[in-house]
């Protein structure tokens, strides 16, 4: 499992725009807005991050309710059959770019990128929670 943590404590910076080539997320927004309004999560586990479109949405929504936000993003960035025509290393680069930008736009956001299979990463995270009572980086 590869981990990469992005964190920003400051709001002064110059950033580029987000880069998204696909939108497999927007049809979920209305339902997710209801979830964020009702449960107001500050710590989020995302399985399948692709270019980070949903991750950016999660950051924006969580920051409406919390000063500090943590996201744990799990993906292989290898794709599946439906991604055979997509350059997955470029998708992963877009994810990193988009999350670096989001962490610059929103202070006190920590995003931990877990590169690996979801069931393996989830078991490792569960083990950390069991041993330490919290997720550690």
């Amino acid at each position: 499992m590869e981990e990469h943590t992005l964190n920003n404590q400051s709001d002064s910076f110059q950033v580029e725009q987000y880069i998204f080539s696909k939108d497999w997320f927007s049809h979920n927004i209305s339902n997710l807005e209801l979830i964020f309004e009702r449960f107001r999560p500050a710590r989020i586990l995302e399985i399948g991050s692709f270019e980070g479109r949903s991750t950016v949405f999660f950051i924006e929504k969580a920051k409406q309710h919390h000063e500090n936000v943590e996201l744990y993003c799990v993906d292989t960035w290898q794709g599946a059959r439906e991604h055979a025509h997509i350059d997955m290393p470029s998708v992963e680069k877009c994810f990193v770019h988009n999350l670096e930008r989001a962490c610059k736009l929103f202070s006190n956001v920590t995003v931990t990128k877990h590169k690996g299979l979801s069931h393996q990463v989830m078991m490792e995270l569960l083990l950390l929670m069991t041993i330490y009572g919290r997720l550690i980086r």
Side-chain angles (χ1 to χ4, degrees):
M1 173 179 75
E2 174 188 319
E3 288 188 27
H4 179 102
T5 301
L6 305 167
N7 192 344
N8 178 41
Q9 301 297 324
S10 155
D11 286 322
S12 60
F13 51 87
Q14 189 72 19
V15 295
E16 300 174 34
Q17 296 297 316
Y18 294 124
I19 300 170
F20 301 115
S21 65
K22 306 278 185 235
D23 185 1
W24 295 325
F25 170 71
S26 294
H27 66 279
N28 295 307
I29 289 176
S30 60
N31 290 327
L32 287 168
E33 284 179 337
L34 294 172
I35 291 169
F36 271 88
E37 190 57 40
R38 180 167 181 191
F39 297 105
R40 301 180 182 209
R43 183 182 296 157
I44 301 164
L45 172 63
E46 177 183 47
I47 307 297
S49 301
F50 200 67
E51 294 171 327
R53 184 182 295 265
S54 55
T55 317
V56 169
F57 173 86
F58 295 153
I59 290 169
E60 292 173 356
K61 287 297 177 183
K63 284 297 288 181
Q64 291 176 3
H65 304 288
H66 301 283
E67 177 65 25
N68 299 300
V69 173
E70 297 176 40
L71 277 91
Y72 300 87
C73 302
V74 180
D75 205 313
T76 62
W77 285 278
Q78 293 177 351
R81 288 184 187 125
E82 67 269 19
H83 304 111
H85 64 287
I86 297 174
D87 177 11
M88 292 307 292
S90 292
V91 168
E92 184 176 6
K93 286 179 185 174
C94 286
F95 173 82
V96 171
H97 166 85
N98 292 331
L99 273 294
E100 286 174 348
R101 181 177 193 278
C103 287
K104 288 178 182 175
L105 288 171
F106 298 95
S107 61
N108 300 316
V109 172
T110 302
V111 179
T112 304
K113 173 187 163 197
H114 297 274
K115 187 173 182 177
L117 298 172
S118 58
H119 63 276
Q120 178 185 352
V121 172
M122 288 174 50
M123 294 306 290
E124 291 172 8
L125 293 174
L126 181 59
L127 180 62
L128 290 173
M129 287 293 294
T130 302
I131 292 171
Y132 299 104
R134 62 185 173 86
L135 297 174
I136 60 169
R137 294 180 262 312

mmCIF file of all heavy atoms in Angstrom, residues 52-80:
data_model
loop_
_atom_site.group_PDB
_atom_site.id
_atom_site.type_symbol
_atom_site.label_atom_id
_atom_site.label_comp_id
_atom_site.label_asym_id
_atom_site.label_seq_id
_atom_site.Cartn_x
_atom_site.Cartn_y
_atom_site.Cartn_z
ATOM 1 N N GLY A 52 -10.317 12.510 -8.651
ATOM 2 C CA GLY A 52 -10.578 13.300 -7.454
ATOM 3 C C GLY A 52 -11.775 14.219 -7.512
ATOM 4 O O GLY A 52 -11.955 15.055 -6.634
ATOM 5 N N ARG A 53 -12.637 14.062 -8.513
ATOM 6 C CA ARG A 53 -13.823 14.931 -8.605
ATOM 7 C C ARG A 53 -14.690 14.793 -7.355
ATOM 8 O O ARG A 53 -15.108 15.793 -6.759
ATOM 9 C CB ARG A 53 -14.641 14.603 -9.852
ATOM 10 C CG ARG A 53 -15.816 15.523 -10.070
ATOM 11 C CD ARG A 53 -16.623 15.126 -11.289
ATOM 12 N NE ARG A 53 -15.886 15.260 -12.526
ATOM 13 C CZ ARG A 53 -15.938 16.328 -13.326
ATOM 14 N NH1 ARG A 53 -16.693 17.348 -12.994
ATOM 15 N NH2 ARG A 53 -15.246 16.363 -14.439
ATOM 16 N N SER A 54 -14.965 13.572 -6.928
ATOM 17 C CA SER A 54 -15.795 13.384 -5.731
ATOM 18 C C SER A 54 -15.031 13.805 -4.480
ATOM 19 O O SER A 54 -15.623 14.360 -3.544
ATOM 20 C CB SER A 54 -16.253 11.929 -5.615
ATOM 21 O OG SER A 54 -15.153 11.047 -5.640
ATOM 22 N N THR A 55 -13.727 13.599 -4.457
ATOM 23 C CA THR A 55 -12.920 13.983 -3.305
ATOM 24 C C THR A 55 -12.977 15.489 -3.086
ATOM 25 O O THR A 55 -13.124 15.958 -1.950
ATOM 26 C CB THR A 55 -11.458 13.529 -3.497
ATOM 27 O OG1 THR A 55 -11.425 12.210 -4.026
ATOM 28 C CG2 THR A 55 -10.698 13.572 -2.197
ATOM 29 N N VAL A 56 -12.875 16.250 -4.157
ATOM 30 C CA VAL A 56 -12.972 17.707 -4.067
ATOM 31 C C VAL A 56 -14.355 18.111 -3.547
ATOM 32 O O VAL A 56 -14.477 18.978 -2.673
ATOM 33 C CB VAL A 56 -12.676 18.358 -5.436
ATOM 34 C CG1 VAL A 56 -13.031 19.833 -5.432
ATOM 35 C CG2 VAL A 56 -11.212 18.152 -5.830
ATOM 36 N N PHE A 57 -15.388 17.457 -4.031
ATOM 37 C CA PHE A 57 -16.738 17.720 -3.543
ATOM 38 C C PHE A 57 -16.817 17.442 -2.041
ATOM 39 O O PHE A 57 -17.378 18.248 -1.281
ATOM 40 C CB PHE A 57 -17.743 16.845 -4.299
ATOM 41 C CG PHE A 57 -19.139 16.917 -3.753
ATOM 42 C CD1 PHE A 57 -20.019 17.903 -4.166
ATOM 43 C CD2 PHE A 57 -19.583 15.980 -2.826
ATOM 44 C CE1 PHE A 57 -21.315 17.959 -3.668
ATOM 45 C CE2 PHE A 57 -20.873 16.031 -2.322
ATOM 46 C CZ PHE A 57 -21.737 17.026 -2.739
ATOM 47 N N PHE A 58 -16.268 16.306 -1.605
ATOM 48 C CA PHE A 58 -16.298 15.952 -0.177
ATOM 49 C C PHE A 58 -15.589 17.014 0.660
ATOM 50 O O PHE A 58 -16.061 17.390 1.738
ATOM 51 C CB PHE A 58 -15.654 14.587 0.067
ATOM 52 C CG PHE A 58 -16.390 13.435 -0.554
ATOM 53 C CD1 PHE A 58 -15.703 12.289 -0.916
ATOM 54 C CD2 PHE A 58 -17.756 13.473 -0.788
ATOM 55 C CE1 PHE A 58 -16.364 11.207 -1.485
ATOM 56 C CE2 PHE A 58 -18.429 12.399 -1.358
ATOM 57 C CZ PHE A 58 -17.721 11.268 -1.712
ATOM 58 N N ILE A 59 -14.454 17.492 0.184
ATOM 59 C CA ILE A 59 -13.721 18.541 0.914
ATOM 60 C C ILE A 59 -14.592 19.792 1.025
ATOM 61 O O ILE A 59 -14.745 20.357 2.116
ATOM 62 C CB ILE A 59 -12.388 18.870 0.211
ATOM 63 C CG1 ILE A 59 -11.406 17.704 0.352
ATOM 64 C CG2 ILE A 59 -11.774 20.160 0.771
ATOM 65 C CD1 ILE A 59 -10.169 17.825 -0.521
ATOM 66 N N GLU A 60 -15.131 20.236 -0.103
ATOM 67 C CA GLU A 60 -15.940 21.455 -0.101
ATOM 68 C C GLU A 60 -17.137 21.340 0.840
ATOM 69 O O GLU A 60 -17.435 22.273 1.592
ATOM 70 C CB GLU A 60 -16.406 21.774 -1.520
ATOM 71 C CG GLU A 60 -15.267 22.186 -2.429
ATOM 72 C CD GLU A 60 -15.672 22.351 -3.887
ATOM 73 O OE1 GLU A 60 -16.846 22.066 -4.242
ATOM 74 O OE2 GLU A 60 -14.810 22.754 -4.684
ATOM 75 N N LYS A 61 -17.814 20.213 0.822
ATOM 76 C CA LYS A 61 -18.992 20.031 1.680
ATOM 77 C C LYS A 61 -18.605 19.901 3.154
ATOM 78 O O LYS A 61 -19.241 20.492 4.027
ATOM 79 C CB LYS A 61 -19.797 18.806 1.240
ATOM 80 C CG LYS A 61 -20.554 19.039 -0.033
ATOM 81 C CD LYS A 61 -21.568 20.146 0.179
ATOM 82 C CE LYS A 61 -22.326 20.489 -1.061
ATOM 83 N NZ LYS A 61 -23.245 21.600 -0.859
ATOM 84 N N ALA A 62 -17.586 19.121 3.446
ATOM 85 C CA ALA A 62 -17.177 18.924 4.845
ATOM 86 C C ALA A 62 -16.677 20.224 5.470
ATOM 87 O O ALA A 62 -16.938 20.494 6.646
ATOM 88 C CB ALA A 62 -16.116 17.837 4.928
ATOM 89 N N LYS A 63 -16.001 21.052 4.677
ATOM 90 C CA LYS A 63 -15.489 22.320 5.204
ATOM 91 C C LYS A 63 -16.616 23.303 5.529
ATOM 92 O O LYS A 63 -16.401 24.236 6.294
ATOM 93 C CB LYS A 63 -14.494 22.950 4.214
ATOM 94 C CG LYS A 63 -13.138 22.292 4.215
ATOM 95 C CD LYS A 63 -12.417 22.410 5.543
ATOM 96 C CE LYS A 63 -11.929 23.817 5.786
ATOM 97 N NZ LYS A 63 -11.211 23.968 7.058
ATOM 98 N N GLN A 64 -17.801 23.090 5.002
ATOM 99 C CA GLN A 64 -18.936 23.941 5.365
ATOM 100 C C GLN A 64 -19.351 23.730 6.812
ATOM 101 O O GLN A 64 -19.983 24.594 7.419
ATOM 102 C CB GLN A 64 -20.125 23.665 4.445
ATOM 103 C CG GLN A 64 -19.913 24.110 3.031
ATOM 104 C CD GLN A 64 -21.082 23.730 2.127
ATOM 105 O OE1 GLN A 64 -22.087 23.175 2.559
ATOM 106 N NE2 GLN A 64 -20.932 24.013 0.838
ATOM 107 N N HIS A 65 -18.969 22.584 7.389
ATOM 108 C CA HIS A 65 -19.412 22.233 8.737
ATOM 109 C C HIS A 65 -18.281 22.072 9.746
ATOM 110 O O HIS A 65 -18.543 22.032 10.949
ATOM 111 C CB HIS A 65 -20.206 20.924 8.704
ATOM 112 C CG HIS A 65 -21.370 20.966 7.767
ATOM 113 N ND1 HIS A 65 -22.511 21.694 8.016
ATOM 114 C CD2 HIS A 65 -21.560 20.395 6.558
ATOM 115 C CE1 HIS A 65 -23.357 21.559 7.013
ATOM 116 N NE2 HIS A 65 -22.810 20.776 6.110
ATOM 117 N N HIS A 66 -17.032 21.947 9.263
ATOM 118 C CA HIS A 66 -15.919 21.635 10.166
ATOM 119 C C HIS A 66 -14.673 22.445 9.829
ATOM 120 O O HIS A 66 -14.387 22.693 8.658
ATOM 121 C CB HIS A 66 -15.560 20.148 10.083
ATOM 122 C CG HIS A 66 -16.688 19.246 10.441
ATOM 123 N ND1 HIS A 66 -17.079 19.015 11.733
ATOM 124 C CD2 HIS A 66 -17.526 18.533 9.654
ATOM 125 C CE1 HIS A 66 -18.111 18.188 11.739
ATOM 126 N NE2 HIS A 66 -18.411 17.890 10.485
ATOM 127 N N GLU A 67 -13.927 22.792 10.860
ATOM 128 C CA GLU A 67 -12.647 23.475 10.668
ATOM 129 C C GLU A 67 -11.600 22.510 10.116
ATOM 130 O O GLU A 67 -10.842 22.855 9.221
ATOM 131 C CB GLU A 67 -12.164 24.066 12.001
ATOM 132 C CG GLU A 67 -10.811 24.742 11.924
ATOM 133 C CD GLU A 67 -10.802 25.990 11.037
ATOM 134 O OE1 GLU A 67 -11.858 26.614 10.861
ATOM 135 O OE2 GLU A 67 -9.725 26.313 10.516
ATOM 136 N N ASN A 68 -11.559 21.300 10.677
ATOM 137 C CA ASN A 68 -10.584 20.291 10.268
ATOM 138 C C ASN A 68 -11.300 19.140 9.575
ATOM 139 O O ASN A 68 -12.304 18.643 10.087
ATOM 140 C CB ASN A 68 -9.817 19.759 11.483
ATOM 141 C CG ASN A 68 -9.044 20.858 12.175
ATOM 142 O OD1 ASN A 68 -8.177 21.491 11.581
ATOM 143 N ND2 ASN A 68 -9.373 21.114 13.427
ATOM 144 N N VAL A 69 -10.748 18.716 8.438
ATOM 145 C CA VAL A 69 -11.339 17.646 7.649
ATOM 146 C C VAL A 69 -10.263 16.642 7.282
ATOM 147 O O VAL A 69 -9.136 17.029 6.947
ATOM 148 C CB VAL A 69 -11.996 18.213 6.364
ATOM 149 C CG1 VAL A 69 -12.473 17.110 5.446
ATOM 150 C CG2 VAL A 69 -13.139 19.153 6.722
ATOM 151 N N GLU A 70 -10.603 15.351 7.372
ATOM 152 C CA GLU A 70 -9.689 14.277 6.974
ATOM 153 C C GLU A 70 -10.369 13.405 5.933
ATOM 154 O O GLU A 70 -11.517 13.007 6.112
ATOM 155 C CB GLU A 70 -9.345 13.378 8.163
ATOM 156 C CG GLU A 70 -8.620 14.043 9.292
ATOM 157 C CD GLU A 70 -8.419 13.087 10.454
ATOM 158 O OE1 GLU A 70 -8.120 11.900 10.221
ATOM 159 O OE2 GLU A 70 -8.577 13.540 11.599
ATOM 160 N N LEU A 71 -9.643 13.116 4.859
ATOM 161 C CA LEU A 71 -10.129 12.189 3.837
ATOM 162 C C LEU A 71 -9.090 11.107 3.631
ATOM 163 O O LEU A 71 -7.891 11.386 3.602
ATOM 164 C CB LEU A 71 -10.361 12.896 2.498
ATOM 165 C CG LEU A 71 -11.689 13.610 2.380
ATOM 166 C CD1 LEU A 71 -11.570 15.022 2.818
ATOM 167 C CD2 LEU A 71 -12.166 13.526 0.962
ATOM 168 N N TYR A 72 -9.573 9.893 3.481
ATOM 169 C CA TYR A 72 -8.732 8.734 3.187
ATOM 170 C C TYR A 72 -9.223 8.182 1.860
ATOM 171 O O TYR A 72 -10.337 7.685 1.768
ATOM 172 C CB TYR A 72 -8.831 7.710 4.317
ATOM 173 C CG TYR A 72 -8.373 8.311 5.629
ATOM 174 C CD1 TYR A 72 -9.264 8.999 6.450
ATOM 175 C CD2 TYR A 72 -7.042 8.250 6.000
ATOM 176 C CE1 TYR A 72 -8.834 9.597 7.622
ATOM 177 C CE2 TYR A 72 -6.612 8.845 7.177
ATOM 178 C CZ TYR A 72 -7.513 9.517 7.977
ATOM 179 O OH TYR A 72 -7.088 10.116 9.134
ATOM 180 N N CYS A 73 -8.406 8.330 0.826
ATOM 181 C CA CYS A 73 -8.789 7.969 -0.537
ATOM 182 C C CYS A 73 -8.080 6.691 -0.953
ATOM 183 O O CYS A 73 -6.858 6.607 -0.881
ATOM 184 C CB CYS A 73 -8.417 9.090 -1.495
ATOM 185 S SG CYS A 73 -9.197 10.652 -1.070
ATOM 186 N N VAL A 74 -8.866 5.721 -1.395
ATOM 187 C CA VAL A 74 -8.332 4.405 -1.772
ATOM 188 C C VAL A 74 -8.621 4.158 -3.247
ATOM 189 O O VAL A 74 -9.764 4.262 -3.694
ATOM 190 C CB VAL A 74 -8.981 3.292 -0.923
ATOM 191 C CG1 VAL A 74 -8.424 1.931 -1.307
ATOM 192 C CG2 VAL A 74 -8.801 3.569 0.567
ATOM 193 N N ASP A 75 -7.569 3.821 -3.984
ATOM 194 C CA ASP A 75 -7.714 3.458 -5.392
ATOM 195 C C ASP A 75 -6.426 2.746 -5.810
ATOM 196 O O ASP A 75 -5.378 2.962 -5.206
ATOM 197 C CB ASP A 75 -7.931 4.699 -6.261
ATOM 198 C CG ASP A 75 -8.660 4.396 -7.568
ATOM 199 O OD1 ASP A 75 -8.270 3.420 -8.240
ATOM 200 O OD2 ASP A 75 -9.587 5.130 -7.913
ATOM 201 N N THR A 76 -6.528 1.918 -6.832
ATOM 202 C CA THR A 76 -5.320 1.292 -7.389
ATOM 203 C C THR A 76 -4.702 2.185 -8.454
ATOM 204 O O THR A 76 -3.529 2.061 -8.747
ATOM 205 C CB THR A 76 -5.637 -0.065 -8.044
ATOM 206 O OG1 THR A 76 -6.533 0.143 -9.129
ATOM 207 C CG2 THR A 76 -6.210 -1.044 -7.043
ATOM 208 N N TRP A 77 -5.509 3.045 -9.034
ATOM 209 C CA TRP A 77 -5.125 3.849 -10.185
ATOM 210 C C TRP A 77 -4.544 2.960 -11.291
ATOM 211 O O TRP A 77 -3.676 3.353 -12.033
ATOM 212 C CB TRP A 77 -4.182 4.994 -9.807
ATOM 213 C CG TRP A 77 -4.940 6.081 -9.125
ATOM 214 C CD1 TRP A 77 -5.664 7.068 -9.723
ATOM 215 C CD2 TRP A 77 -5.083 6.292 -7.725
ATOM 216 N NE1 TRP A 77 -6.258 7.870 -8.780
ATOM 217 C CE2 TRP A 77 -5.913 7.421 -7.541
ATOM 218 C CE3 TRP A 77 -4.596 5.641 -6.584
ATOM 219 C CZ2 TRP A 77 -6.253 7.904 -6.301
ATOM 220 C CZ3 TRP A 77 -4.933 6.120 -5.348
ATOM 221 C CH2 TRP A 77 -5.765 7.246 -5.210
ATOM 222 N N GLN A 78 -5.107 1.756 -11.378
ATOM 223 C CA GLN A 78 -4.767 0.837 -12.472
ATOM 224 C C GLN A 78 -5.951 0.656 -13.413
ATOM 225 O O GLN A 78 -5.783 0.224 -14.537
ATOM 226 C CB GLN A 78 -4.366 -0.532 -11.913
ATOM 227 C CG GLN A 78 -3.079 -0.509 -11.145
ATOM 228 C CD GLN A 78 -2.743 -1.858 -10.535
ATOM 229 O OE1 GLN A 78 -3.548 -2.780 -10.546
ATOM 230 N NE2 GLN A 78 -1.559 -1.952 -9.986
ATOM 231 N N GLY A 79 -7.133 0.964 -12.929
ATOM 232 C CA GLY A 79 -8.326 0.834 -13.742
ATOM 233 C C GLY A 79 -8.819 -0.600 -13.839
ATOM 234 O O GLY A 79 -8.221 -1.532 -13.304
ATOM 235 N N ALA A 80 -9.923 -0.752 -14.523
ATOM 236 C CA ALA A 80 -10.534 -2.055 -14.770
ATOM 237 C C ALA A 80 -10.830 -2.136 -16.263
ATOM 238 O O ALA A 80 -10.368 -1.308 -17.040
ATOM 239 C CB ALA A 80 -11.813 -2.188 -13.941
#
